[in-house]
Amino acid sequence: WDENRLALMEGKSMVFVLMVCEGTAALDAHHDEEHPYLLRYVEMRDVDGLGRCLVVDWEDARPLSAFAAENPSLEAKKAVLEQLASALGYIHERKGVHGDLSPAVVFVTKKGNQVRLLNFRQTYAGNQDDAAQVIRYQAPEIKDGTVAVTARADMYALGMLMKDLRLGGEFYDVVSCCCNYNSSARYETM
């Protein structure tokens, strides 16, 4: 849990201190996103001492990595996976790609274990720890920049998250397909 990223709470909104790769116009397009498992973008705001910050609707939640560390039941992990898949499916249906899927942007509410996905690409200037953690979830084609980023890159990251949740066994074939080095061998989308 990166306390430096969370600056302050105001009612039901949370201010995220981060650099966003997308321009203001692209962020404004997120106002129209309505999905139960996406954190809803409220606005960009200048915050004294913090600079330009992203404001999203917020519920008390913890990162996916903290949820996984609690050793939840298989049923709880499956439910979280289904919710995350639903959010990604919504993004992909709208011809979008998340492109930055990692535990740093997946939150699970403390009440009810509901997924809240932050749907914004971030930069990690000056924060090498964040960058090092996120690169593990990036598809090979993102790392080497050889092809355009597609939904298949999100599928790779989803497979890596499934590994973090220790969803082996019955999910082995799905994880293997998602995490295939060859992007054309992965699932196309949700």
Side-chain angles (χ1 to χ4, degrees):
W1 183 249
D2 184 357
E3 294 297 329
N4 295 327
R5 186 178 318 227
L6 303 176
L8 58 107
M9 281 180 109
E10 297 175 350
K12 288 188 68 180
S13 293
M14 173 66 75
V15 177
F16 277 80
V17 180
L18 50 82
M19 295 176 66
V20 180
C21 290
E22 302 176 57
T24 304
L27 286 171
D28 288 340
H30 289 291
H31 272 294
D32 296 333
E33 291 182 337
E34 290 294 330
H35 190 277
Y37 306 124
L38 290 179
L39 281 170
R40 194 178 70 76
Y41 164 66
V42 176
E43 66 182 350
M44 289 295 287
R45 181 188 316 158
D46 289 317
V47 177
D48 290 340
L50 299 172
R52 196 90 174 127
C53 298
L54 175 68
V55 180
V56 296
D57 276 346
W58 183 255
E59 296 175 57
D60 194 17
R62 71 271 200 209
L64 183 64
S65 54
F67 168 79
E70 296 167 3
N71 294 319
S73 68
L74 180 59
E75 292 77 27
K77 291 188 282 190
K78 283 182 180 180
V80 164
L81 176 62
E82 288 171 5
Q83 294 167 30
L84 182 55
S86 176
L88 280 176
Y90 175 81
I91 293 167
H92 295 167
E93 285 170 8
R94 295 175 56 124
K95 307 297 184 216
V97 176
H98 189 283
D100 195 31
L101 190 61
S102 74
V105 296
V106 180
F107 299 92
V108 181
T109 63
K110 291 182 179 178
K111 182 178 181 183
N113 289 332
Q114 299 291 302
V115 167
R116 299 295 182 257
L117 175 62
L118 182 62
N119 185 23
F120 302 97
R121 290 192 190 157
Q122 303 174 50
T123 60
Y124 298 94
N127 194 340
Q128 296 304 315
D129 290 339
D130 277 354
Q133 290 173 5
V134 169
I135 201 164
R136 169 174 154 12
Y137 300 88
Q138 289 180 340
E141 62 272 19
I142 291 177
K143 292 175 188 172
D144 65 22
T146 56
V147 296
V149 177
T150 67
R152 291 177 193 260
D154 286 345
M155 300 308 295
Y156 180 90
L158 181 64
M160 295 301 289
L161 292 172
M162 291 172 73
K163 285 182 178 183
D164 287 355
L165 288 171
R166 296 181 301 280
L167 285 168
E170 67 183 279
F171 291 94
Y172 177 81
D173 291 338
V174 174
V175 171
S176 294
C177 184
C178 286
C179 294
N180 196 306
Y181 185 84
N182 181 352
S183 66
S184 62
R186 286 183 222 131
Y187 298 111
E188 282 186 63
T189 186
M190 294 308 309

